[in-house]
Amino acid sequence: MKTVYKLMWTGLCIVLASCSDMLDLKPKTELAADSYFQTAEQFGAALNGAYATLQEGDMYGNWYVFSEIPSDNTRNQLSGSVTDQDEFDKFYIRTTNPYIASFWNMSYKGISRVNTVLGRIDNVSIDPALSDRYKRECKFLRALMYFNLVRVYGDVPLVLKEISISESYDLVREPADAVYRQIVDDLKEAEALPASYSADGDIGRATSGAAKALLGKVYLTLNSYQEAETKLAEVVNTSAYALLENTPGSLNRDGYAAVFNPNNHNSRETVFEVQFKKGGFGEGSPFPNNFAPENSGTNVVALGSTGGNNIPETDVYEAYEEGDLRRDFSMSLGYYDARADNTWVDSRYVNKYLDIPYQSGDSNNNFPVIRYADVMLMYAEALNLNGKTAQACDYLNRVRRRGFGYQTTETSPVDIRTSDRGEFLLAVEHERRVELAFEGHRWFDLVRTGRALEVLTSKGFKLNASNLVCPVPQKQIDVNPKLVQNDYEIIPK
């Protein structure tokens, strides 16, 4: 068994196939599903199928469209009349935009898969400990998917069981508060997951640390700062995780680079990653090809197409301070073109996810949903909001030191010391931007702190409060008029 890839999903495509025009909530072949779910191995394969949805281009494969392009970090590549990503960058998202439609569908497909496991596993005699673990993994995955859904669309249908096609026509959008309550409940159950897994085939599965870290992020999003501090402290104070250190001696970025080395995934800094594996199995990640500059040939990525997507803005390049070694690792200003006597080509691109593909769109780069540096910075933010600014500086500085080439525990010239709560909030906002650049955090950080409108309008973006969530896909409303559309205003540019 491989590391939580979707290799076992192929045999489930008939069993768990879903209706394409609806919320993807009901298997077409119910009889096949009833006859399939009989053994622990079959439930394990079904659970792997739920993990597999995270790999899809409609989920984390294109997560940058929702999480980076609307922010001041990146912009899209316009190609002819194609403006689907540009709508996110300039806040004129159509209700027929294919990205909002595919993300909605894939999210509910994943939720359908976990609900199928949860609804059937108690009817079969399998090892109780394994059954409980599978159910908790399902709760984590469902919470993660709903957390993304509610942040993207606001109120969304809350489906917690298998439903029929006719029942899907009666779904309504539940208030975001209710969705968040369910997310919290699911993650509280998922906290009882194992702290780690010994079998190679289980690497990449949700753990107790992942559940606690995600719960801490949810609490921060809900402005429940004391609960966030308490939960994140449980992750910070465990020995299961650590920042990867730079090599002692001269200033270097070895530790930071090691986090993204395809040969070093699932390290001690990993809390939860979407697993990818190249090799022609349909398990590889698209990021190196997708983010390489358009028409760059083999100068940036050794094999395959070049998408020119997720282009870093000049603003994020200039956000890095002098001496911050994370900048030139995370992004590049261009490349030397071997096809033209090594002429320099100005073309900014994300450099964080580089691997030699097996074939186009087939690389070994995992996607870091939560890593320990993220947890440390969230913990620092929660401490500060609870009036513990001096203590918060210690955790921020551990992350910051590594970025400038120091050891995380040594006093350094770049340390930040302040007792001013507001000053620290800006410092941690900045540190999250440069540490976690292009990892899917910037837009949602600005939204949850209430800073999106202030920061982006000051930089010339035209948006208002209605643009903080996406429209509901029009196709969903067409098949179920009970789903009310968001009041998304397109501002004249």
Side-chain angles (χ1 to χ4, degrees):
M1 180 176 177
K2 301 296 183 182
T3 306
V4 194
Y5 307 124
K6 60 181 181 185
L7 293 175
M8 300 181 71
W9 170 242
T10 304
L12 292 175
C13 60
I14 296 177
V15 176
L16 296 181
S18 302
C19 49
S20 59
D21 292 336
M22 300 294 296
L23 289 167
D24 289 326
L25 298 174
K26 179 64 178 178
K28 287 181 179 177
T29 51
E30 183 173 359
L31 181 59
D34 287 340
S35 63
Y36 180 83
F37 290 99
Q38 302 296 325
T39 67
E41 290 75 15
Q42 289 169 338
F43 277 101
L47 179 56
N48 283 358
Y51 277 100
T53 59
L54 302 180
Q55 285 184 342
E56 299 293 337
D58 298 333
M59 188 80 75
Y60 277 99
N62 285 328
W63 186 233
Y64 70 93
V65 176
F66 296 90
S67 61
E68 295 288 347
I69 285 182
S71 78
D72 47 359
N73 271 5
T74 68
R75 61 177 176 84
N76 62 292
Q77 175 69 54
L78 279 176
S79 179
S81 61
V82 178
T83 61
D84 299 331
Q85 294 186 23
D86 189 62
E87 295 174 18
F88 289 82
D89 186 50
K90 298 183 178 67
F91 302 100
Y92 64 104
I93 303 174
R94 297 165 295 143
T95 60
T96 56
N97 184 287
Y99 286 99
I100 63 169
S102 59
F103 180 72
W104 176 289
N105 288 337
M106 186 56 66
S107 297
Y108 279 105
K109 182 178 288 186
I111 290 167
S112 173
R113 291 174 181 175
V114 298
N115 285 344
T116 297
V117 174
L118 290 169
R120 296 171 183 262
I121 197 167
D122 287 337
N123 299 327
V124 178
S125 179
I126 65 174
D127 178 69
L130 183 62
S131 175
D132 286 346
R133 197 195 88 189
Y134 282 172
K135 287 188 284 188
R136 292 183 181 115
E137 287 183 73
C138 284
K139 296 294 181 69
F140 173 86
L141 292 173
R142 188 168 69 183
L144 176 61
M145 293 173 190
Y146 268 121
F147 184 49
N148 290 339
L149 278 167
V150 75
R151 290 189 296 169
V152 169
Y153 302 103
D155 301 349
V156 291
L158 187 58
V159 185
L160 303 176
K161 63 178 183 178
E162 292 184 84
I163 64 173
S164 66
I165 292 177
S166 60
E167 287 175 316
S168 70
Y169 285 109
D170 293 322
L171 291 171
V172 297
R173 298 173 66 194
E174 296 294 336
D177 288 348
V179 179
Y180 274 112
R181 283 195 296 273
Q182 184 61 50
I183 292 169
V184 170
D185 288 346
D186 279 352
L187 290 174
K188 285 181 176 179
E189 291 193 47
E191 285 185 275
L193 280 165
S196 62
Y197 298 91
S198 57
D200 288 344
D202 290 327
I203 293 173
R205 294 189 180 278
T207 62
S208 59
K212 291 175 180 180
L214 182 56
L215 184 52
K217 186 182 288 283
V218 171
Y219 281 140
L220 269 185
T221 303
L222 295 173
N223 300 325
S224 299
Y225 304 131
Q226 187 55 60
E227 290 87 348
E229 177 189 336
T230 299
K231 194 53 55 183
L232 293 167
E234 294 180 26
V235 184
V236 169
N237 293 330
T238 181
S239 60
Y241 306 104
L243 297 176
L244 301 187
E245 293 283 2
N246 297 322
T247 302
S250 60
L251 301 182
N252 62 80
R253 63 190 187 198
D254 295 350
Y256 190 72
V259 176
F260 303 94
N261 187 327
N263 297 318
N264 197 40
H265 287 323
N266 304 302
S267 68
R268 290 193 68 198
E269 189 157 335
T270 298
V271 180
F272 186 73
E273 294 182 349
V274 178
Q275 305 292 308
F276 290 95
K277 180 67 174 179
K278 69 181 180 183
F281 308 110
E283 310 293 334
S285 63
F287 309 123
N289 293 105
N290 203 5
F291 299 158
E294 192 174 35
N295 301 319
S296 59
T298 59
N299 289 289
V300 172
V301 63
L303 182 69
S305 62
T306 55
N309 290 302
N310 204 25
I311 302 169
E313 297 276 20
T314 302
D315 188 83
V316 69
Y317 185 86
E318 295 175 346
Y320 288 89
E321 301 162 70
E322 186 68 28
D324 192 334
L325 302 178
R326 293 170 292 192
R327 183 192 66 188
D328 293 340
F329 176 82
S330 299
M331 62 178 292
S332 295
L333 294 178
Y335 59 92
Y336 290 98
D337 193 346
R339 300 164 299 183
D341 297 324
N342 287 327
T343 302
W344 176 257
V345 178
D346 288 320
S347 185
R348 296 187 301 274
Y349 64 95
V350 173
N351 198 42
K352 212 169 199 176
Y353 306 100
L354 281 188
D355 182 38
I356 300 175
Y358 177 82
Q359 57 191 8
S360 188
D362 187 9
S363 298
N364 263 350
N365 299 97
N366 285 359
F367 188 84
V369 178
I370 308 173
R371 58 185 177 89
Y372 191 54
D374 179 15
V375 174
M376 296 276 279
L377 292 174
M378 288 192 292
Y379 184 50
E381 184 177 340
L383 286 168
N384 175 64
L385 290 166
N386 289 328
K388 304 172 185 177
T389 305
Q391 185 181 354
C393 288
D394 291 336
Y395 292 94
L396 181 146
N397 285 332
R398 295 184 198 182
V399 175
R400 183 173 169 81
R401 289 164 186 158
R402 183 179 66 174
F404 285 81
Y406 300 96
Q407 299 290 290
T408 63
T409 56
E410 66 177 323
T411 302
S412 80
V414 300
D415 286 1
I416 290 176
R417 298 295 177 193
T418 180
S419 58
D420 185 281
R421 171 175 160 167
E423 182 181 345
F424 185 88
L425 281 174
L426 293 179
V428 75
E429 179 183 289
H430 165 82
E431 201 63 31
R432 287 186 62 81
R433 186 184 190 189
V434 295
E435 170 70 23
L436 305 172
F438 321 124
E439 297 177 44
H441 299 280
R442 176 62 172 173
W443 167 251
F444 295 113
D445 279 349
L446 291 174
V447 171
R448 71 173 173 78
T449 59
R451 294 258 298 151
L453 297 180
E454 177 184 351
V455 169
L456 296 179
T457 56
S458 73
K459 298 178 180 181
F461 290 84
K462 294 182 179 179
L463 73 160
N464 62 30
S466 76
N467 305 131
L468 299 182
V469 293
C470 292
V472 175
Q474 186 61 45
K475 192 172 185 179
Q476 298 300 323
I477 294 177
D478 290 343
V479 297
N480 179 8
K482 293 182 180 180
L483 296 176
V484 179
Q485 184 57 269
N486 279 330
D487 182 21
Y488 185 94
E489 180 181 358
I490 296 177
I491 302 173
K493 307 303 176 187

